[in-house]
Amino acid sequence: KTYQLDKLQTWETLDEKTRVTMGTGVYTTHLNLKKKDLADAHAWTIDLGDVRESARVYINNQFVGCAWSVPYVLSCDNVLKEGDNLIRIEVTNLPANRISDLDKNGVKWRKMEEINVVDINYKKTTYDEWAPVESGLHSNVAIIKY
């Protein structure tokens, strides 16, 4: 699905089907820079803030990097230009919401016996009562010049 968002938000809040999606959500936006902005900067970074769980960043269709741990900050020198800059952030989540949904619906998803099916007390367990976990960008993204 495609969504037009007024503000950044995680995708488990969008609708019931998207809430249980295990995969990659793509966020895009544009940044308009003036010649003066570029001349004043010695270096640029993109701070992704709170990412759930990893992000691949492209600016003007050039791969900037993959952020997979705190801090979710990448150098973006030499990719920004005067005028319109296209920013694309591909965020991949964890399978927790999908696993919970499979257990809620009684789907047999486990492929191996006795693996990942007991709790801390070695009692059989399912994940059908898990609350949804956040997936996607969970805070503002900033382009910072130095």
Side-chain angles (χ1 to χ4, degrees):
K1 282 184 158 179
T2 300
Y3 299 91
Q4 293 290 337
L5 303 176
D6 294 329
K7 62 183 173 80
L8 274 179
Q9 66 189 85
T10 54
W11 71 68
E12 85 290 344
T13 62
L14 297 174
D15 62 45
E16 195 59 29
K17 185 170 182 172
T18 306
R19 182 186 70 76
V20 298
T21 298
M22 175 183 69
T24 301
V26 180
Y27 296 80
T28 59
T29 193
H30 293 265
L31 173 67
N32 191 8
L33 290 174
K34 295 181 170 81
K35 189 174 189 175
K36 182 183 181 322
D37 296 324
L38 294 169
D40 292 347
H42 297 286
W44 293 88
T45 60
I46 183 166
D47 184 342
L48 303 173
D50 186 2
V51 176
R52 305 298 173 97
E53 290 300 325
S54 66
R56 294 175 57 86
V57 177
Y58 297 84
I59 298 178
N60 298 321
N61 295 317
Q62 293 182 49
F63 180 64
V64 171
C66 182
W68 52 271
S69 68
V70 174
Y72 293 97
V73 177
L74 298 168
S75 171
C76 56
D77 291 335
N78 304 317
V79 294
L80 294 167
K81 62 183 173 86
E82 182 181 355
D84 183 55
N85 290 271
L86 173 64
I87 300 169
R88 186 174 82 240
I89 304 168
E90 301 175 352
V91 181
T92 302
N93 70 341
L94 296 176
N97 294 341
R98 180 72 178 133
I99 289 170
S100 177
D101 186 61
L102 291 171
D103 276 354
K104 282 178 188 163
N105 291 305
V107 176
K108 302 290 183 200
W109 60 272
R110 294 172 178 88
K111 303 293 184 204
M112 303 171 91
E113 293 294 322
E114 301 302 322
I115 293 179
N116 198 24
V117 293
V118 295
D119 65 14
I120 196 167
N121 299 311
Y122 291 95
K123 299 210 189 276
K124 283 197 174 255
T125 190
T126 62
Y127 307 105
D128 57 333
E129 294 189 22
W130 273 0
V133 296
E134 293 157 335
S135 299
L137 294 175
H138 190 250
S139 63
N140 290 332
V141 173
I143 303 275
I144 302 164
K145 70 177 179 177
Y146 296 95

